Amino acid sequence: MGAVVVIGVGTIGTGWIALFTAHGLPVRVVSRRPDAEKVVRAGLELFAPALPGAPDPATLLDRIEFEPDLARAVADAEVVSENVPDDLELKQQLFATIERTGTEALLLSSTSKLLPDDLGARMRDPARLVVGHPFNPPHLVPLVEVVAGDATAPAAVDQAMAFLRSVGRHPVLLRRALPAFAANRLQSAVLRECIHLVVEGVLTVPELDHLVTHSIGLRWSTMGPFQAFHLGGGEGGLRGWLSHLGAGLERGWAQLGTPALTDQTRELLVTQTEQAYGDRTYAELAADRDRMHLAVLEALARARAEPS
């Protein structure tokens, strides 16, 4: 495969770099940051233990070329992974600039909320532009939401799905483009009620996190909500569950909180979070996260390989 170009070395961009190099791909990095090489090196050292085969970060770094000139970087690229901040005008300008270089690469945007037709609005032909939204951290969490616009060519979608599978991801194609896509909308809905429960004094931030990881988090690591409630209905399945509890579920929706993110609410959440987790650095917390994510993924792989 030809070179993969990664634009941006934030958390998502660095995660992609780690993943792509771990799968043996040559990566060209484009970034305006003067410390881009330092940032990438630190990211590789942090993420390497959770990558396939736990590779030596130095080996991964050997597969990376830092190229500040965008035109030279994308000239012979097969895939361009865009990871700049989620600013629509910035991304529109970037994709229009990439198009003017004449590259024929697949253009994958890691945006978490912007629609592909909007991203490509300043391009003459945005047919090769596809959203490939990862869930953080992208080097470890398998899901990538693939979102096509009206202007996206079906061949570009097929290429995106194949590329993402080739680096061990589990791409899911959304049947319709909608703001914030699907996984973030689900996460946002849960987070809203989490904030409500903390603001109302029902639970503190660390207590809420403990509750989730020891209940629905554990459940959702093995099956989705529909399958879980299908089992919750016993022999009657989801049909039986909804016929018995559906009315109560609807009443419960009406009681969910709608917290306002006032300065007071923000300060409450930040203070409790910093008190709970502020005694460790980002690198320490991220390493623990990756170690536990990897343990879950490996355990699930073993369980699924066993005969039922």
Side-chain angles (χ1 to χ4, degrees):
M1 180 176 179
V4 176
V5 172
V6 176
I7 303 175
V9 295
T11 303
I12 301 300
T14 304
W16 279 134
I17 292 167
L19 180 73
F20 298 156
T21 54
H23 281 81
L25 300 178
V27 173
R28 244 177 247 134
V29 176
V30 180
S31 174
R32 295 178 179 178
R33 294 182 58 162
D35 62 343
E37 187 168 350
K38 179 181 177 182
V39 170
V40 170
R41 186 186 300 272
L44 294 178
E45 291 175 354
L46 178 61
F47 298 151
L51 292 169
D56 181 351
T59 301
L60 303 182
L61 196 62
D62 287 342
R63 297 175 182 146
I64 298 172
E65 175 188 355
F66 293 88
E67 175 53 79
D69 186 274
L70 180 63
R72 284 200 300 265
V74 304
D76 61 346
E78 191 164 335
V79 176
V80 174
S81 171
E82 172 274 309
N83 306 277
V84 301
D86 250 354
D87 178 291
L88 179 58
E89 184 174 354
L90 174 64
K91 288 180 185 282
Q92 286 176 336
Q93 290 175 347
L94 177 60
F95 282 117
T97 301
I98 293 172
E99 183 181 44
R100 288 195 294 271
T101 69
T103 181
E104 297 182 356
L106 172 70
L107 307 179
L108 276 176
S109 174
S110 294
T111 179
S112 62
K113 61 184 178 182
L114 301 174
L115 302 180
D117 285 337
D118 294 335
L119 294 173
R122 298 187 186 182
M123 299 175 68
R124 294 187 303 275
D125 180 13
R128 290 175 289 107
L129 175 55
V130 184
V131 166
H133 169 237
F135 228 52
N136 193 32
H139 67 282
L140 191 53
V141 178
L143 173 73
V144 181
E145 293 177 295
V146 175
V147 188
D150 292 337
T152 307
V157 175
D158 293 342
Q159 185 182 356
M161 298 288 282
F163 170 70
L164 291 166
R165 290 190 182 109
S166 75
V167 291
R169 301 306 85 186
H170 292 253
V172 174
L173 177 62
L174 271 60
R175 297 178 182 274
R176 184 166 65 88
L178 73 170
F181 318 130
N184 269 350
R185 291 171 74 99
L186 293 171
Q187 181 173 243
S188 180
V190 174
L191 181 61
R192 183 179 74 172
E193 187 61 17
C194 290
I195 292 173
H196 171 70
L197 292 171
V198 171
V199 169
E200 291 297 309
V202 178
L203 293 161
T204 65
V205 163
E207 289 169 347
L208 192 287
D209 283 350
H210 183 84
L211 180 148
V212 169
T213 57
H214 288 76
S215 60
I216 56 176
L218 176 63
R219 175 187 289 174
W220 287 349
S221 70
T222 59
M223 63 186 65
F226 287 113
Q227 184 180 4
F229 285 114
H230 183 60
L231 284 171
E235 295 296 331
L238 184 62
R239 186 183 300 277
W241 190 89
L242 287 174
S243 64
H244 290 297
L245 300 173
L249 180 65
E250 198 169 5
R251 287 194 298 270
W253 288 340
Q255 297 170 5
L256 293 176
T258 54
L261 283 178
T262 63
D263 290 344
Q264 183 179 5
T265 297
R266 294 174 193 268
E267 188 59 31
L268 173 68
L269 298 173
V270 170
T271 298
Q272 290 194 14
T273 300
E274 289 177 344
Q275 288 175 346
Y277 308 118
D279 60 333
R280 289 183 290 168
T281 66
Y282 164 76
E284 291 169 337
L285 290 169
D288 279 352
R289 173 202 64 192
D290 287 5
R291 178 176 53 81
M292 291 186 287
H293 278 4
L294 186 61
V296 171
L297 290 170
E298 290 175 344
L300 288 172
R302 288 194 299 270
R304 287 168 179 154
E306 295 172 355
S308 57

